[in-house]
């Protein structure tokens, strides 16, 4: 199904084109800065605002693909209210002890229709693809996360014998856990005496890969971004994704209420989220790998099947970032990353592994 960005106040297959209105069932988005830190985003100013809900006609299950059919068309500068579902299936939630009445009807509808949908090879339910007018190969899609909120008051965490970083330590073992969420105080209740602050973010935000790659699995992140599982991408942050095909074909999903770096058992606090995003086509940027920014840090990323190679890519991308953004020499940038940058493991469990370098902005105060 395709909806043109200039169609206003039309409801078709779960997509609302709303001008500047927001449906009362979602609630009015808060300005950035609640969970993350607000940023002063440059032009363009906000355009139209659209809302995209996950339905059998508006999701991609398990794939990113340059041949994917867009479910929504937006323009550069337009804003998007998007809902993304948890990776935990209704059946697995009930098996873990959740009352059937708490399972989202949106999820029930999609799982009931799965047999008639194009699915796989991965398992994430991704809202999209979204066609961004004017975007083309070689450009960069700037995704501004203005707010991200839990859409439900529970999350799940699961692992099994064929997944996770320590599969050999838990043979023949599967376990799922329901984590109750206090969405007012933004706390997750892991167990008696263990409470975790919530930092919601979308684990998977990506564009279509190059057409030559065909339909790719939604699990391994890559040059198209996708399942980055980078917990820094909270409200107030910005993700820059290299574009590989006309329209970009953005997909969003894998809601996390919070996560530790590494995501070692293969899941975070998996939940459903509502995000308020602004999408900007950047023709003045040209990137080979995804890059991000928060109020306090620049973030370079590297992804590979080898942790060593992923780390080398991330460090090289950090050097390139400093050369491009700060005008530094490569030699100075290399030294600065060593003395002031933090090299962190993003995730270890998605087929490819992720590494990101955090470069604090505070060190540049007073610099030319």
């Amino acid at each position: 199904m395709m909806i043109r960005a200039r169609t206003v106040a039309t409801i078709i297959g779960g997509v609302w084109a709303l001008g500047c209105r927001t449906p009362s069932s979602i609630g009015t988005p808060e300005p950035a800065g609640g969970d993350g830190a607000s940023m002063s985003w440059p032009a363009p100013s906000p355009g139209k605002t659209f809302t995209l809900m996950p339905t059998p006609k508006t999701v991609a299950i398990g794939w990113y693909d340059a041949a994917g059919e867009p479910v929504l068309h937006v323009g550069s500068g337009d804003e998007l209210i998007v809902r993304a579902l948890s990776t935990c299936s209704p059946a697995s939630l009930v098996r873990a002890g959740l009352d059937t009445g708490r399972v989202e009807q949106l999820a029930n509808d999609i799982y009931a229709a799965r047999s008639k949908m194009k699915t796989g090879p991965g398992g994430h339910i991704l809202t999209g693809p979204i066609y961004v007018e004017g975007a083309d190969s070689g450009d960069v899609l700037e995704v501004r996360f203005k707010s991200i909120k839990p859409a439900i008051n529970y999350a799940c965490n699961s692992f099994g014998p064929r997944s996770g970083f320590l599969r050999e330590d838990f043979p023949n073992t599967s376990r799922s856990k329901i984590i109750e969420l206090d969405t007012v105080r933004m706390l997750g209740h892991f167990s008696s005496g263990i409470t975790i602050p919530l930092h919601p973010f979308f684990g998977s935000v990506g564009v279509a890969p190059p057409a030559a790659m065909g339909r790719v699995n939604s699990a391994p992140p890559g040059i198209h971004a996708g399942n980055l599982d980078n917990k820094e991408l909270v409200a107030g942050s910005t993700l820059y994704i290299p574009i590989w095909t006309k329209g970009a074909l953005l997909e969003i999903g894998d809601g996390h209420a919070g996560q530790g770096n590494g995501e070692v058992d293969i899941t975070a606090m998996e939940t459903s989220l509502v995000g308020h995003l602004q999408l900007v086509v950047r023709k003045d940027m040209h990137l080979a790998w995804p890059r991000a920014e928060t109020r306090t840090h620049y973030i370079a990323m590297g992804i590979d099947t080898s942790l060593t190679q992923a780390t080398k890519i991330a460090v090289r991308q950090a050097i390139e970032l400093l050369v491009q953004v700060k005008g530094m020499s490569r030699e100075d940038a290399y030294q600065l990353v060593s003395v002031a940058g933090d090299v962190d493991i993003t995730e270890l469990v998605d087929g490819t592994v992720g590494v990101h370098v955090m470069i604090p902005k505070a060190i540049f105060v007073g610099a030319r």
Side-chain angles (χ1 to χ4, degrees), residues 3-362:
I3 298 181
R4 294 286 176 181
R6 303 300 172 243
T7 304
V8 180
T10 301
I11 304 178
I12 303 176
V15 180
W16 288 259
L18 296 168
C20 293
R21 295 184 295 112
T22 305
S24 58
S25 61
I26 295 294
T28 303
E30 293 179 355
D35 175 66
S38 61
M39 289 178 62
S40 178
W41 281 296
S45 58
K48 293 180 179 292
T49 299
F50 299 87
T51 295
L52 184 59
M53 298 287 283
T55 74
K57 294 183 178 180
T58 62
V59 297
I61 299 183
W63 53 266
Y64 287 92
D65 190 348
E69 182 180 352
V71 301
L72 175 67
H73 281 236
V74 303
S76 178
D78 286 347
E79 301 198 0
L80 177 68
I81 312 298
V82 62
R83 182 157 173 163
L85 295 179
S86 166
T87 59
C88 297
S89 69
S92 68
L93 289 169
V94 173
R95 286 196 300 270
L98 188 74
D99 186 272
T100 55
R102 298 179 69 189
V103 177
E104 294 176 273
Q105 188 58 48
L106 290 168
N108 284 329
D109 292 345
I110 289 170
Y111 276 87
R114 278 180 70 110
S115 62
K116 300 177 182 178
M117 299 171 65
K118 178 176 72 173
T119 63
H124 299 90
I125 298 177
L126 303 171
T127 307
I130 300 159
Y131 188 103
V132 184
E133 302 283 359
D136 210 342
S137 179
D139 299 337
V140 168
L141 183 64
E142 179 179 337
V143 182
R144 302 172 177 179
F145 299 102
K146 293 199 163 186
S147 72
I148 306 174
K149 298 179 181 180
I152 54 179
N153 60 1
Y154 60 87
C156 62
N157 179 270
S158 308
F159 71 88
R162 295 185 299 277
S163 60
F165 190 59
L166 297 177
R167 295 184 294 274
E168 67 275 19
D169 288 18
F170 298 91
N172 305 313
T173 303
S174 296
R175 185 175 183 184
S176 294
K177 183 182 188 67
I178 301 297
I179 301 172
E180 296 291 341
L181 305 181
D182 182 337
T183 59
V184 176
R185 295 188 295 166
M186 294 299 284
L187 297 171
H189 298 291
F190 183 83
S191 64
S192 177
I194 302 178
T195 301
I196 307 167
L198 302 187
H199 300 285
F201 71 98
F202 296 101
S204 193
V205 181
V207 299
M213 294 177 65
R215 181 168 45 159
V216 301
N217 192 317
S218 64
I223 56 175
H224 64 293
N227 194 33
L228 294 171
D229 286 330
N230 190 319
K231 72 174 189 176
E232 304 295 337
L233 300 178
V234 295
S237 66
T238 302
L239 176 62
Y240 303 94
I241 311 173
I243 295 172
W244 304 100
T245 194
K246 193 174 182 65
L249 301 182
L250 178 71
E251 296 174 7
I252 302 165
D254 193 22
H256 293 171
Q259 179 199 292
N261 273 338
E263 199 187 24
V264 293
D265 80 350
I266 205 170
T267 54
M269 285 191 282
E270 308 286 335
T271 193
S272 295
L273 299 177
V274 175
H276 178 189
L277 287 58
Q278 186 180 20
L279 307 178
V280 180
V281 176
R282 296 290 300 271
K283 293 186 176 293
D284 60 328
M285 293 181 70
H286 305 284
L287 300 177
W289 291 92
R291 179 183 295 177
E293 183 178 353
T294 70
R295 182 181 63 86
T296 58
H297 288 80
Y298 300 108
I299 306 174
M301 304 183 196
I303 301 161
D304 197 86
T305 54
S306 159
L307 183 57
T308 297
Q309 290 304 314
T311 305
K312 288 187 175 184
I313 292 169
V315 173
R316 286 170 178 147
Q317 288 299 303
I319 292 169
E320 182 174 335
L321 186 156
L322 290 170
V323 170
Q324 292 177 347
V325 176
K326 294 298 180 181
M328 299 179 68
S329 70
R330 294 186 70 256
E331 293 77 12
D332 279 350
Y334 187 28
Q335 290 178 298
L336 184 60
V337 170
S338 187
V339 300
D342 288 318
V343 180
D344 295 336
I345 293 174
T346 320
E347 57 79 19
L348 292 165
V349 291
D350 293 330
T352 52
V353 298
V355 174
H356 62 277
V357 180
M358 301 286 290
I359 304 170
K361 292 181 176 179

